[in-house]
Amino acid sequence: MIQKLLFIFLLCTCLSGYSQITGLVTNSDNEPLPYVNIYLKNSTTGTTTNGDGNYSLSLSKAGTYTVVFQFLGYTTKELEVRIDQYPYELNTVLTEETTSLDEIIVDTKGNPADRIIREVINKKPEILKKQNAYTAHFYSRGLWRVENAPEKFLGQKIGDLGGGLDSTRTGIVYLSETISKIAYQAPDDFKETITASKVSGNDNGFSFNSAQEADYSFYNNTLEINSQLVSPIADNAFRYYSYKLVGAFREGKKLINKIEVTPKRKNDRIFEGIIYVVEEDWQLYGADLKTTGTAIQVPFVEELVFKHNFKYDAEKELWIKISQSIDFSFKLLGFGGNGRFTAVYSNYNFEPQFDRTSFTNEVLSFQPEANKKDSLFWQKIRPVPLTLEERSDYVVKDSLQEIRDSKPYKDSIDGVNNKFSLADPLLGYTYNNTYERWRVGYKSPLPELRFNTVQGFNAKAGLFYNTWTEDYKQATYANLDANYGIDDDRLRFTGSLTKRFNRSSNRTMGLLGGTKVQQFNAREPISTLINSVATLFWERNYMKVYELDYARLFYSEELFNGFKFYANASYEKRSPLFNTTDQVWIKNRIDYTSNNPLAPNDSSTPAIQTHQLGKLNARAVINFDQKYMSYPDGKFNIGESKYPTLTLNIEQTFAASISDFNFTQFAAQLKQEFDISNKGSFGYNLRGGTFFNSDNISFVDYQHFSGNQTRINLEGKHLNGFNLLPYYDFSTNNSYFEGHLEHNFKGFILGKIPGIRALNANFILGSHSLITHENKPYYEFSAGIGNLGFGKLKFLRIDYVRSINGPNTDGVFVFGLSF
C-alpha cells in the first residue's frame, strides 16, 4: 500500500506543471550538486538545489530570463532562456572554479589575506547600516536523521520515533518546512509571520523552525551557538585566526578572493574553513565554515558546517544573503545521526515603512490554517524541491498517521507497553490508554528509599493519574503518596489534584494536602539522597525536619505578557519531631546532632511549639520586554532578555493558635544572566526582604538560606545558594539581603593556556554574600573549573571556596555539577 502511494505521489509530482523552471545541476563528472544557488538576474527570485541536485524556480509569467547558477568552489554560470510554456526543463553543468593569484598585487611586506580581512572589518559598519531594516520572504526546512538508535534511552522506551526508524533503527525522525514573512529593524526588533507550516507525519503539527533562531551573520562579532563563537571577520578576529589567500576568480567584473581561515588555538570558540570576499566591495560573497561540539561545549555534537551564499544588489551596492545551510552530526552513547537546516531568503525590501506598531514583543505568529495547506500548494510554492528520501518520508509517515491515530492501533501499542513484568513492583508501573488520553500508575518505594535520623530508613510509594486533551492545551494530574518510616513507625499520606486550563497563559489551579516530614527550610537545601549518604557514612545528619499537616489551594497564570502571578492559601499545623535512631554504617568520632537546629546538642528540647495557622502567599514575576512566540496551541516565552527578572513576594500569616506567630514578610529579587561577547557569561541574583510583627514567630517561618555543609553541590544552583554556609546559623526574622555573582569564562582564559586548553574546561569565578540583622556579614569567594568529565560526558565542576565569618576560613574544595 505504501509503495503504491509513493508511486502515485512521485508520478503526480512529475506530471504536474506550474510556472516553473526545473532541472538538475551536476558537475563535470555528472555528479549532482546539492544546494546550488539559482536565481533570476537582477531580481530577488531565487532557490537552491536539493540534496539530489534538483531545483524548481517559480516564475510569474512567460518571457526571456537570465538564470544564474552560483555555487561556492564552482564558476558562476548565466544562461539566457526564452520560456513560452511550463514546466520548462533547464539542466546545466558547473565546472570547478579556476583560482589564480596572478591578478592580485602581492605586498611582499605583508600577508595579502590580512589586508583583505582588514578592509572587510573596516567596511562592516557601513554594511550593517545598509541592512539595519528590511523585510523578506523566508523558507526553511529542517531534517534530522538517527542511526542505530537504541530500543531504550536512559531506561525509557523510545519506540520507532513516529515511524521514522526502519528495521536497523535508522531513518528520518523529524522533517518540517515553513514559509514565512520576516521583518527586522536594528538593533533587535524582529517579527516572523508563518503563512504555511508542514510537519511530516503530523497533519496538525506546527514546525519549530524559526527565522530568528537561524539568523546567523558573520558580520556580527560573535555568533551565539550555545557559546559565543568569534566570527572570522570580527573586530578582534586577528587574535583568534590566521588567514591565507589561496586563490581568486572573477564573477563578471567582480574579483572574488578565496581565503582560508585557520584557528590560532584549537579549542577557542572559533570556526575554520573558507570565506570568499569581493575585492573593492569588501563584502562576503560566500562562506563555508565549520565548528565542533568542543568549541560550542556540546560534546555529543560532532560537527556543524555553515554555508552562506550572497548575491549582488546593484541598487543598494550590497551583497545580500540568499541562502544558508547548517549541516550537523552527533553521536552519544553508541548511536548518532545527522541533519540539515536549509534557509532561503527572497524578495528583500531594504526600505520598509515601519512605524511604532510594526514590532511588538510577539516575534513569531501563525496565520490561520497555516498547517492545512495541501500537497499541491507546497508543490507550487516550495523553492527547494524535496529529495527522494524526503518525499518518501512524507508519503510513508502521512499514510501511517491515519493508522497510528486509530483506536485499534493505539490499543495494540498500549497492549504491548501495558504488560506487567516481574520488575514492576520494584521499579513502578504505568497503564496507558492513549486513545482515550489517560494514564494511571504506581510509584515504587525502591527508588525513593532514604535514611534520616528522625524516621530511620523510609520510602515513598504512590498512585498517580493524569489525562489530557487532544491538543494538550488542558491537562489534569492527580496523585496520592504514602511515606513510611521504619524507626518512627509512622505512615504519612499526601495528595494533590492539579488542573492546567490552557497553554497560552498557562492558567493552573490545584489542591494539595496531607501530612509529611518537612525541612525547616522549605527550599530544601539538602537533598534527601545526599543527607542519607552523609548520615550513614559520616554521621552528619544535617537535615532538620518537623511534621507538617496541611491543606493548600494554589493558582498561577501569566496575566499578561511578562507578568506571571502565583498565589496560594493554606492551613498548616506544625509539630516538632525528634531523632529515633542512632544507626550508622561507618562509626566516626562524633555523634549525631539533635533534630533541633537551634540547639544541636540538646535532644530533649523541641525546636518548635505545636501550633496551627493560616497563610497567604502572593508572588509576581516580572520579565521586562518579554519576547514570545505565538503558536496555535500555546504561547512560548523566550528566556533570553537584556533586562533582569524582578520577583516580588508577600507572605501573610493569620489566625495563628499562638497570636505572636502572626507576621508579614515582603521580599524582592533581581536575577539575570547574559553573555559578554566571547568572554563568557555573567550572572547575578540579588534578593532581600524584611519582616513585620515578627519578634516571636515560629522558627519554621524564619527566612532560611540555601546553605551547604556537605562539600557537594549536585543541584547546580550556583546563583541560588552558598557553598559553605551552615544551613540554619544565619536564619533570621528581621531584614536580610543576599547576593550571588558568577562569571563563567567558557574557555576564554583556559583555552589560551597550552596543555590545559586540551581539557576544554571553563574557568569560573564566584562571589556570595549574606547580610542579616543579627550577624556579621558573611562572604564567600570561589574559583572553579567546569565542563570536566570523561569523553562526551562533561558535567563535573570543582570549586575552591573561602568564606569570611564562616567556619571554613582556610578554604575547601566543593564538588558539583555544571550543565
Side-chain angles (χ1 to χ4, degrees):
M1 178 63 180
I2 292 175
Q3 288 86 347
K4 290 181 179 179
L5 287 172
L6 177 58
F7 174 78
I8 294 171
F9 182 88
L10 296 178
L11 182 63
C12 291
T13 301
C14 294
L15 295 178
S16 297
Y18 294 96
S19 301
Q20 293 176 332
I21 303 175
T22 63
L24 174 67
V25 182
T26 59
N27 62 15
S28 54
D29 294 326
N30 203 34
E31 298 170 333
L33 293 177
Y35 308 107
V36 176
N37 287 293
I38 301 112
Y39 56 89
L40 300 180
K41 191 174 183 179
N42 299 323
S43 82
T44 58
T45 301
T47 184
T48 70
T49 58
N50 63 18
D52 297 333
N54 295 302
Y55 74 94
S56 175
L57 182 63
S58 298
L59 303 177
S60 59
K61 59 183 179 180
T64 300
Y65 298 93
T66 299
V67 183
V68 181
F69 297 83
Q70 177 194 19
F71 191 48
L72 295 180
Y74 287 76
T75 300
T76 298
K77 192 172 189 177
E78 296 185 4
L79 295 176
E80 185 174 297
V81 293
R82 172 67 188 177
I83 300 176
D84 298 317
Q85 60 181 5
Y86 298 100
Y88 186 92
E89 184 174 352
L90 180 61
N91 302 321
T92 192
V93 177
L94 297 184
T95 58
E96 291 191 41
E97 66 187 20
T98 302
T99 58
S100 171
L101 297 178
D102 294 342
E103 296 185 74
I104 302 175
I105 300 175
V106 179
D107 184 354
T108 57
K109 295 181 180 180
N111 182 346
D114 289 353
R115 174 189 64 85
I116 294 170
I117 297 299
R118 289 192 181 94
E119 293 285 3
V120 174
I121 293 173
N122 291 335
K123 186 81 170 181
K124 276 200 314 176
E126 179 183 337
I127 302 306
L128 291 171
K129 185 177 180 180
K130 289 183 177 181
Q131 301 180 73
N132 64 1
Y134 65 82
T135 61
H137 290 171
F138 178 77
Y139 167 80
S140 67
R141 182 185 303 167
L143 182 147
W144 286 67
R145 297 184 191 89
V146 168
E147 300 172 353
N148 304 316
E151 296 285 346
K152 292 184 177 181
F153 185 70
L154 298 178
Q156 300 295 317
K157 293 181 180 180
I158 64 174
D160 64 0
L161 298 177
L165 303 183
D166 58 22
S167 59
T168 66
R169 309 289 295 168
T170 297
I172 295 177
V173 297
Y174 177 75
L175 171 62
S176 71
E177 299 175 273
T178 63
I179 299 287
S180 58
K181 299 176 182 179
I182 60 176
Y184 168 77
Q185 181 173 259
D188 56 9
D189 285 329
F190 193 91
K191 183 178 182 180
E192 178 177 12
T193 303
I194 294 180
T195 58
S197 175
K198 184 175 179 65
V199 180
S200 180
N202 186 353
D203 59 10
N204 197 40
F206 294 93
S207 171
F208 279 88
N209 303 341
S210 166
Q212 186 176 27
E213 293 178 354
D215 187 25
Y216 294 109
S217 173
F218 291 108
Y219 283 106
N220 295 327
N221 287 327
T222 59
L223 287 77
E224 184 178 355
I225 313 169
N226 191 58
S227 297
Q228 293 286 342
L229 274 65
V230 179
S231 167
I233 54 173
D235 294 344
N236 59 345
F238 284 99
R239 300 179 187 176
Y240 297 89
Y241 296 100
S242 298
Y243 304 93
K244 180 180 179 181
L245 182 62
V246 295
F249 59 93
R250 286 195 175 274
E251 180 172 312
K253 297 181 180 180
K254 301 289 186 180
L255 181 66
I256 314 298
N257 299 296
K258 182 178 181 181
I259 298 174
E260 183 179 56
V261 178
T262 306
K264 289 185 175 180
R265 292 170 295 272
K266 183 178 180 181
N267 286 331
D268 273 347
R269 309 292 179 256
I270 38 70
F271 299 89
E272 63 178 311
I274 300 292
I275 60 173
Y276 298 81
V277 176
V278 185
E279 185 81 15
E280 296 184 349
D281 290 348
W282 310 122
Q283 298 179 52
L284 290 179
Y285 169 86
D288 188 352
L289 298 166
K290 68 178 181 179
T291 188
T292 64
T294 299
I296 66 174
Q297 292 201 324
V298 182
F300 60 83
V301 171
E302 301 277 291
E303 190 174 74
L304 285 164
V305 180
F306 292 76
K307 291 186 179 180
H308 290 188
N309 291 276
F310 300 78
K311 62 170 287 189
Y312 188 61
D313 185 320
E315 182 179 349
K316 295 289 292 185
E317 296 183 340
L318 183 67
W319 289 83
I320 58 175
K321 183 166 66 176
I322 57 172
S323 72
Q324 170 185 279
S325 67
I326 306 172
D327 290 281
F328 60 89
S329 57
F330 62 93
K331 194 170 185 179
L332 178 66
L333 299 179
F335 77 98
N338 58 74
R340 171 180 284 256
F341 183 89
T342 304
V344 177
Y345 300 82
S346 60
N347 297 325
Y348 279 99
N349 175 12
F350 289 101
E351 296 181 359
Q353 301 301 311
F354 293 143
D355 56 32
R356 293 181 178 180
T357 63
S358 297
F359 296 96
T360 65
N361 286 333
E362 183 184 56
V363 299
L364 182 145
S365 62
F366 284 75
Q367 285 188 352
E369 304 296 313
N371 66 329
K372 301 301 182 183
K373 310 298 184 183
D374 59 22
S375 59
L376 295 179
F377 168 87
W378 281 100
Q379 191 176 325
K380 179 179 179 180
I381 201 169
R382 178 186 289 123
V384 182
L386 297 173
T387 65
L388 182 61
E389 178 189 32
E390 292 164 345
R391 291 175 183 173
S392 174
D393 189 73
Y394 272 132
V395 172
V396 170
K397 287 183 180 175
D398 289 348
S399 63
L400 285 175
Q401 182 185 1
E402 184 175 352
I403 298 173
R404 290 181 174 235
D405 285 343
S406 68
K407 187 177 187 301
Y409 178 83
K410 290 184 176 181
D411 287 347
S412 68
I413 295 298
D414 287 342
V416 174
N417 294 332
N418 291 339
K419 287 182 179 179
F420 195 81
S421 70
L422 294 177
D424 289 337
L426 297 176
L427 302 178
Y429 173 76
T430 301
Y431 181 91
N432 289 283
N433 189 323
T434 309
Y435 187 78
E436 298 291 340
R437 296 184 295 278
W438 61 266
R439 68 170 57 94
V440 64
Y442 150 75
K443 292 181 286 186
S444 166
L446 186 61
E448 294 292 329
L449 181 61
R450 299 291 188 266
F451 179 85
N452 63 62
T453 55
V454 171
Q455 296 176 281
F457 279 100
N458 63 93
K460 181 172 66 175
L463 301 173
F464 64 88
Y465 167 84
N466 73 283
T467 183
W468 58 95
T469 58
E470 184 176 7
D471 53 11
Y472 296 98
K473 289 183 179 180
Q474 296 186 12
T476 302
Y477 308 85
N479 68 74
L480 177 65
D481 295 323
N483 175 267
Y484 178 71
I486 293 177
D487 283 282
D488 71 343
D489 193 24
R490 283 291 308 278
L491 182 63
R492 299 174 174 91
F493 290 93
T494 57
S496 68
L497 177 64
T498 303
K499 170 77 172 182
R500 186 187 70 219
F501 293 89
N502 63 64
R503 293 177 66 188
S504 297
S505 66
N506 277 307
R507 181 187 303 140
T508 304
M509 295 185 68
L511 176 67
L512 61 158
T515 301
K516 66 178 179 177
V517 173
Q518 173 70 52
Q519 292 188 45
F520 283 97
N521 186 346
R523 295 160 70 180
E524 299 188 341
I526 180 169
S527 76
T528 55
L529 177 60
I530 292 178
N531 180 73
S532 300
V533 175
T535 302
L536 290 170
F537 286 90
W538 294 292
E539 219 166 348
R540 306 280 185 174
N541 58 324
Y542 293 121
M543 193 171 74
K544 308 302 178 185
V545 295
Y546 67 97
E547 185 166 271
L548 175 64
D549 299 284
Y550 69 105
R552 182 174 300 141
L553 178 68
F554 69 89
Y555 158 83
S556 66
E557 184 172 12
E558 185 176 30
L559 297 178
F560 52 88
N561 181 53
F563 187 92
K564 298 177 184 176
F565 181 73
Y566 305 81
N568 66 70
S570 61
Y571 160 83
E572 299 182 6
K573 177 183 177 183
R574 293 90 165 260
S575 305
L577 293 172
F578 299 87
N579 288 347
T580 62
T581 179
D582 59 359
Q583 181 180 357
V584 63
W585 287 355
I586 298 179
K587 183 63 180 175
N588 293 274
R589 295 181 179 179
I590 61 173
D591 295 321
Y592 285 135
T593 57
S594 74
N595 188 50
N596 185 343
L598 299 173
N601 298 317
D602 184 349
S603 297
S604 59
T605 302
I608 59 172
Q609 294 176 266
T610 299
H611 63 278
Q612 305 91 37
L613 51 71
K615 179 181 283 190
L616 294 173
N617 192 297
R619 177 162 54 100
V621 179
I622 305 169
N623 292 287
F624 301 99
D625 197 36
Q626 172 74 70
K627 306 294 185 183
Y628 65 94
M629 299 182 291
S630 294
Y631 279 75
D633 56 353
K635 174 176 180 282
F636 298 89
N637 294 326
I638 298 174
E640 297 179 0
S641 175
K642 59 184 178 181
Y643 299 104
T645 297
L646 172 64
T647 300
L648 302 173
N649 196 92
I650 180 172
E651 183 180 22
Q652 177 68 56
T653 61
F654 59 93
S657 59
I658 301 175
S659 59
D660 285 348
F661 287 3
N662 293 322
F663 72 95
T664 304
Q665 182 188 184
F666 293 101
Q669 174 183 269
L670 274 179
K671 188 174 183 180
Q672 186 181 18
E673 295 183 58
F674 53 89
D675 292 321
I676 302 177
S677 184
N678 67 312
K679 298 174 179 61
S681 61
F682 177 77
Y684 64 87
N685 183 1
L686 309 177
R687 187 172 183 271
T690 189
F691 286 82
F692 297 92
N693 304 317
S694 60
D695 291 345
N696 299 304
I697 64 175
S698 171
F699 185 70
V700 171
D701 295 308
Y702 275 47
Q703 179 62 44
H704 308 291
F705 305 97
S706 293
N708 183 23
Q709 294 174 254
T710 65
R711 311 296 185 269
I712 297 174
N713 187 352
L714 296 183
E715 303 296 326
K717 299 177 180 178
H718 301 284
L719 275 179
N720 294 312
F722 298 86
N723 291 289
L724 303 177
L725 182 76
Y727 293 109
Y728 295 105
D729 286 5
F730 288 79
S731 298
T732 183
N733 60 344
N734 284 292
S735 300
Y736 59 90
F737 171 82
E738 62 176 308
H740 308 274
L741 309 176
E742 183 173 278
H743 187 87
N744 186 337
F745 288 91
K746 291 189 176 181
F748 179 74
I749 292 179
L750 298 184
K752 296 177 173 60
I753 303 175
I756 293 179
R757 65 174 173 237
L759 296 174
N760 194 30
N762 296 331
F763 181 58
I764 306 166
L765 292 178
S767 174
H768 308 266
S769 62
L770 175 61
I771 301 173
T772 61
H773 181 77
E774 300 87 354
N775 299 283
K776 293 181 180 179
Y778 172 89
Y779 301 101
E780 284 181 3
F781 302 95
S782 64
I785 299 178
N787 200 46
L788 300 174
F790 308 94
K792 297 183 182 299
L793 301 176
K794 296 203 170 190
F795 50 81
L796 302 179
R797 170 172 170 170
I798 301 175
D799 288 275
Y800 178 76
V801 187
R802 295 184 68 96
S803 66
I804 300 175
N805 192 30
N808 300 292
T809 55
D810 293 334
V812 298
F813 287 98
V814 176
F815 300 87
L817 301 179
S818 178
F819 293 102

